[in-house]
Amino acid sequence: MTGQTSGRSVRQVAADAGPLVAAGAALLAVQLIGVRELGSTLFSTELVVFAATLLTLVGPSVGYLLAPRLRRRSDSVDDRGDGRDGHDTGLGAGLLTAALGTQLILPFELQALCALTMAAALRVGLAPVWGSALYALLAALLLLLPCAVYAALLPVRAQPRSLPTLYAAELCGALLTLLALGLPPSLQAVLRLVDLRCAIVPYALLLPLSAWGLSTAHGARFRRTLTATMALLATLLVGLYPRLDAVAMRAYLRVLYGHADPHIVQTIYSPYQRIDVIADPG
C-alpha cells in the first residue's frame, strides 16, 4: 500500500512539473517584456522602477494570496476524478482568459495604452507628468494579473514534499525564457533584418506553452481546446505583428511627440529598451 501511494506521489509530481515549467517561462516572459516596454515608453524614469517593482514583487505576492482559493477549486476538481478532467469555472476560467489575453498582446499593447492614456489626460487638462504616472499605474496593474496567476501555480499544486522539485521546475521554465528571449544581439539583428516577424517567433512559441501549463495545472477540461486556440492566435500574432506594432507605435508617436505622419524606418531592441528610427515627412 505504501509503495502504491509512493508511486502515485511520484507520478503526481512528474505531472505537475511540466505545468510549473510553463508557468515559470510565462512569468519571466511577462516580466521581461513588460519592463522593457515600460522602459521604452517612459525612458527609464522613476516610474519604470515603480512599475517594475509592482510586477516583480507585488504580482507574485498577489498570486500567493489567491492561491488558497484556487487550490480549493483544484481540490474540488480532484475529488471528482483525477484532477485533470474536471471543468474549472468561475474565477479560474476568468483568470486564465485574462492572463493569456494580456500575454498575447503584450508586445504592442503598452504603446497603445500609453497613447490612449496620455491623449485622455491631455484632453481633460492634466499635466503630462500626471498622464505618465497614470499610464505607469495602469500598465503595472494590467501586467500584474498574469504575473499573479502564473506565480499562484506553485502554491496551488505543491505539497510539502514536492515543493523543492516543483520550484526547480519553475526555475527551469524561467531559464527557458532567458534562452528564448535573451538571444545574442547579433542574432536578434539578423532575425529583424530577415523579417520583423522572425523576431517575435520565440515569444509566440511561449504562448501555447503558457496555455497548456495554466489549464492543466488548474484541472481545466478544455486545456486541449485552449492550447490549440492559443497556438492559432500565436500564429496570427507572428503574421500580423509588424502591422499591429506599427499602428500602436505611430499612435504613441503622434500623442507623445506630436509627429504628424511618423513612419518607422527601423526598430532595434536592446536587452532593456526599444530603439526606433523615425521618419516624418510632415
Side-chain angles (χ1 to χ4, degrees):
M1 186 70 176
T2 303
Q4 291 179 350
T5 303
S6 177
R8 190 182 306 114
S9 299
V10 171
R11 289 194 298 271
Q12 184 65 50
V13 171
D16 286 337
L20 263 296
V21 170
L27 175 61
L28 191 61
V30 171
Q31 290 176 334
L32 283 178
I33 301 297
V35 171
R36 187 179 68 184
E37 295 301 320
L38 282 167
S40 299
T41 50
L42 294 173
F43 292 101
S44 298
T45 62
E46 290 81 358
L47 292 173
V48 176
V49 177
F50 163 75
T53 301
L54 280 180
L55 286 181
T56 57
L57 298 180
V58 179
S61 298
V62 172
Y64 299 150
L65 182 65
L66 291 174
R69 183 172 181 177
L70 294 174
R71 188 182 185 94
R72 286 194 297 270
R73 185 179 300 278
S74 179
D75 289 343
S76 69
V77 171
D78 288 346
D79 291 340
R80 296 196 299 270
D82 63 358
R84 294 293 180 267
D85 294 325
H87 182 63
D88 190 12
T89 59
L91 176 62
L95 285 175
L96 290 181
T97 303
L100 290 170
T102 301
Q103 186 183 352
L104 174 68
I105 62 176
L106 179 57
F108 55 86
E109 69 181 329
L110 292 188
Q111 292 96 334
L113 177 63
C114 184
L116 291 173
T117 304
M118 292 299 293
L122 294 174
R123 191 174 296 116
V124 300
L126 287 179
V129 64
W130 291 111
S132 297
L134 178 60
Y135 158 66
L137 178 62
L138 291 176
L141 291 176
L142 178 67
L143 299 181
L144 184 145
L145 176 61
C147 290
V149 172
Y150 300 151
L153 296 190
L154 179 61
V156 164
R157 302 308 298 179
Q159 301 292 338
R161 294 183 63 180
S162 65
L163 179 59
T165 300
L166 297 185
Y167 184 62
E170 188 179 51
L171 292 179
C172 288
L175 179 60
L176 177 65
T177 291
L178 287 177
L179 293 175
L181 302 183
L183 296 174
S186 58
L187 182 54
Q188 290 184 1
V190 169
L191 289 176
R192 289 187 173 275
L193 285 175
V194 172
D195 195 313
L196 186 60
R197 286 182 287 266
C198 294
I200 201 67
V201 168
Y203 181 80
L205 290 175
L206 293 173
L207 294 169
L209 176 66
S210 302
W212 173 79
L214 276 168
S215 57
T216 301
H218 284 282
R221 173 180 287 177
F222 53 86
R223 66 182 181 274
R224 293 184 183 87
T225 301
L226 186 64
T227 303
T229 301
M230 190 54 61
L232 175 61
L233 292 175
T235 303
L236 292 175
L237 174 65
V238 172
L240 297 175
Y241 174 66
R243 183 177 300 177
L244 294 171
D245 179 73
V247 169
M249 195 62 190
R250 283 199 295 267
Y252 168 80
L253 292 169
R254 288 191 186 101
V255 174
L256 271 292
Y257 298 101
H259 286 284
D261 187 23
H263 295 275
I264 302 173
V265 178
Q266 187 177 10
T267 298
I268 300 173
Y269 277 101
S270 73
Y272 305 104
Q273 279 199 345
R274 166 183 175 135
I275 302 170
D276 291 284
V277 179
I278 307 299
D280 188 351

